[in-house]
Amino acid sequence: MALLEVSDLHVSFPTSDGVVEAVRGLSFTVDTGKTLGIVGESGSGKSVSTQTIMGLTRGARISGQALFEGNDLLTMTPKQLRAVRGAKVGMIFQDPLSSLHPYYRVGWQIVEMIRNHQHGISKAKAKQRAVELLRLVGIPQPDRRIDDFPHQFSGGMRQRAMIAMAMSLNPALLIADEPTTALDVTVQAQVLQVMRRLQEEFGTAIVLITHDLGVVADVADDVVVMYAGAAMEKADRYETFGASHHPYTEGLLQSLPAYGGARERLRPIPGQPPSLINLPRGCPFQPRCPYAMDKCRKEMPPLFEVGGNPAHTSACWLTRDLAERAALRARVAGEAAAIPAQA
């Protein structure tokens, strides 16, 4: 059994304009010591899915199952969830400045986190643990910086402090929601290295939510590509980048700068993501898809096995033979490249 098994998760929010279908039938698993990357454009349901699992989406209509160590997180009482959050599942949020309380010292917040779950530990022992954690995540002079306020830390240091807090109780699972979005490239690499080192030391499983495919290529073992609240493609890292199937995954990869000048122009995905209140009929990506067929406009495809690999699935009606899919991709790419030349 996987450490975390999410099955057919649906999350919706009633609004004055209609019902927002934020997550639609999402399923995934995370094994101990592994990293799952969840990628997609803003508004694709990445953050809502993990926040729902941890009981942080008040007012939402929720169905499905999220088994953590065999227990369904979605049916737990608030008291039971509080015992899980922090102690067994750590969370790192996108903006550490808003996640850390500005009126309290960084060290005090880590100490309170530890003492809230380990009731027998003294304040001195908890502070010593906090200093060790700050040193572990690369904060210089942690015995002194522990008494600083969040505004006295740089963005990268605040993110490291959040990682230290999330790892303070050696959780089995770490959910990192866009942990490197606001950081420059060098600090981003340092933060990812910290997460990797902690994973190797403690065997922690990680769910990494991001829109940065470069980060996913660096750290993820498996990848879920989300669009309009649903999983479009699931595969391991190598299949995702080397033999992707879904046109949306293809579009994300083609919009990246090519190393070494292999491609002269970026190829952005045309159009905009659909409204989650009024989704298009059939596949939600079909209005933006260069391969769209009549069937795509009428019927939403389920996740099909790709290339005979049960671990690689794609919600697309295109051929599931990877050689035929590659030939089709080359033909469509050639036609697209020829259009500007004829204009």
Side-chain angles (χ1 to χ4, degrees):
M1 177 183 291
L3 179 68
L4 176 66
E5 295 184 22
V6 176
S7 304
D8 197 28
L9 179 65
H10 288 259
V11 185
S12 60
F13 298 91
T15 71
S16 57
D17 295 324
V19 178
V20 177
E21 299 287 346
V23 181
R24 303 178 299 117
L26 180 65
S27 300
F28 62 82
T29 62
V30 189
D31 293 319
T32 300
K34 298 294 184 180
T35 298
L36 173 71
I38 303 180
V39 300
E41 292 169 284
S42 296
S44 60
K46 307 183 301 295
S47 296
V48 171
S49 59
T50 52
Q51 289 172 7
T52 299
I53 290 167
M54 297 313 299
L56 300 178
T57 49
R58 294 181 180 177
R61 298 171 181 169
I62 303 166
S63 65
Q65 196 174 57
L67 296 179
F68 175 72
E69 295 181 337
N71 300 310
D72 192 355
L73 296 171
L74 300 182
T75 60
M76 286 186 178
T77 64
K79 183 178 180 180
Q80 290 172 325
L81 272 175
R82 281 194 297 271
V84 171
R85 287 196 295 255
K88 295 184 177 182
V89 181
M91 294 196 71
I92 305 171
F93 294 99
Q94 182 172 349
D95 183 6
L97 189 57
S98 63
S99 302
L100 293 167
H101 201 297
Y103 289 166
Y104 296 100
R105 301 179 193 275
V106 170
W108 183 90
Q109 296 183 57
I110 299 175
V111 167
E112 285 299 297
M113 170 76 172
I114 296 170
R115 298 191 72 202
N116 187 54
H117 289 276
Q118 296 181 357
H119 302 292
I121 192 171
S122 67
K123 187 177 291 186
K125 288 274 190 181
K127 186 173 182 179
Q128 182 182 355
R129 170 67 174 157
V131 171
E132 292 173 357
L133 286 163
L134 290 177
R135 181 179 291 111
L136 187 64
V137 297
I139 300 292
Q141 299 179 306
D143 53 337
R144 183 176 66 82
R145 300 307 301 269
I146 194 173
D147 293 322
D148 285 349
F149 290 94
H151 73 270
Q152 295 175 281
F153 278 38
S154 67
M157 289 175 67
R158 283 195 293 266
Q159 197 60 280
R160 294 185 198 194
M162 281 296 300
I163 294 173
M165 185 181 296
M167 297 299 298
S168 60
L169 300 169
N170 298 338
L173 175 66
L174 179 65
I175 297 174
D177 189 354
E178 303 273 12
T180 61
T181 295
L183 306 178
D184 62 56
V185 176
T186 54
V187 177
Q188 181 184 96
Q190 293 167 2
V191 169
L192 292 175
Q193 181 60 35
V194 167
M195 292 173 62
R196 253 195 309 263
R197 189 168 69 246
L198 292 171
Q199 185 177 46
E200 291 169 1
E201 184 168 341
F202 299 112
T204 309
I206 297 176
V207 176
L208 177 65
I209 301 166
T210 183
H211 60 263
D212 190 334
L213 287 170
V215 171
V216 169
D218 194 25
V219 301
D221 296 296
D222 300 292
V223 183
V224 174
V225 180
M226 287 190 69
Y227 183 78
M232 296 290 102
E233 187 162 8
K234 302 179 190 177
D236 64 32
R237 172 178 53 181
Y238 303 103
E239 291 273 326
T240 299
F241 287 88
S244 66
H245 179 271
H246 200 282
Y248 180 58
T249 310
E250 177 185 327
L252 291 177
L253 294 172
Q254 287 184 342
S255 66
L256 293 174
Y259 179 75
R263 190 171 66 243
E264 293 181 2
R265 296 176 62 90
L266 298 180
R267 296 177 187 165
I269 302 173
Q272 298 292 328
S275 166
L276 296 178
I277 295 176
N278 187 24
L279 287 165
R281 186 182 177 190
C283 174
F285 187 62
Q286 52 89 2
R288 308 171 70 187
C289 181
Y291 305 92
M293 306 173 284
D294 287 341
K295 191 173 186 179
C296 304
R297 300 180 182 94
K298 297 176 181 177
E299 192 176 349
M300 174 64 188
L303 284 163
F304 289 108
E305 184 179 303
V306 176
N309 181 3
H312 185 182
T313 56
S314 174
C316 184
W317 294 117
L318 293 178
T319 175
R320 294 180 288 281
D321 181 275
L322 287 173
E324 293 178 9
R325 177 70 180 91
L328 178 61
R329 179 183 289 120
R331 180 171 62 80
V332 171
E335 291 172 357
I339 291 174
Q342 296 171 357

